[in-house]
Amino acid sequence: MTTLLEVKGLKTQFFTQDGVVHAVNGISYELNEGETLGLVGESGCGKSVSVMSLMRLIPMPPGKIVGGEALFGGRDLLKISDDEMRSVRGNKIAMIFQDPMTSLNPVLNIGQQVGEALELHLGMSKSEARQRTIELMEMVGIPLAADRIDDYPHQFSGGMRQRVMIAMGLSCNPQLLIADEPTTALDVTIQAQIVDLVKKLRDEIGMAIIWITHDLGIIAGLADRVAVMYAGYIVEEASVKTLYADPRHPYTLGLLGSLPRLDEERGRRLTSIEGLPPDLIGLPQGCPFYARCNYRVDRCQAENPALEVVAPHHKSACWVDVTVAQPTR
């Protein structure tokens, strides 16, 4: 398969009055054309900051991308000019944000907001953009699209606003769609509808997706591969089937253990991960998961393990083989 996006050693920091926040600490991964990558982890682990860095949407100051590359179509997104980045953003790479109410402009109607990208990137006239906007609204399942195109965001429900955001993201047929927890604010039924919609549109359009979430249940039915993040690092990366069947990092084990499952006997207690994530201003010297880990050894406190291959197409950053609870390196 052809590689669409290659991220190498991405580092993003925030320079605050309290100190330097190490938000993303040298993550690397690849994304192939048409592939869906799930980026999972608890709140504050760097998921959103990592993709905002790719889109060059980090506020500077206080934020700064201090290292790494993001190769997309032969160009490093972190080094191209602002004008070149504007031509990529919304056109080649689109993004759906977490809260559609705050992402949509409350004083512009839906037709204006979706049509803007069509006029800017595809050179459509206002009438052409309006007609295409109606088609996009119908495609994402908004009923009576021609009648609702002049409505404002507050006249739509949360699920319908998220459909508008998806229509906006797909308007220019992007090669890559980044979805930053797009179902978090929605109830479970609407979540399922949005996930099914994105899967259907992905198969029709053939775009690649980076889906950011803390919900491993959503990822199970959507993604091809999963990258698990913790404290600004990728600690495990594998295909969906491999990750669920054979997790190799203690943090991944903890996440999966906290997930209710239908294929296990009734009465099994869900597990919890004790403690709190480390302070990203004062990261520990060794493994960032050391204080919360049930498999830790002395080496974990002194040295942070690199992400290395532990099985075909499966990487983990751990000094211990969790399958036998013995050190591996």
Side-chain angles (χ1 to χ4, degrees), residues 7-12 23-29 67-68 232-234 307:
V7 178
K8 300 178 181 178
L10 177 65
K11 288 185 179 181
T12 303
V24 180
N25 300 306
I27 66 171
S28 301
Y29 60 87
Y233 297 92
I234 291 178
L307 189 68

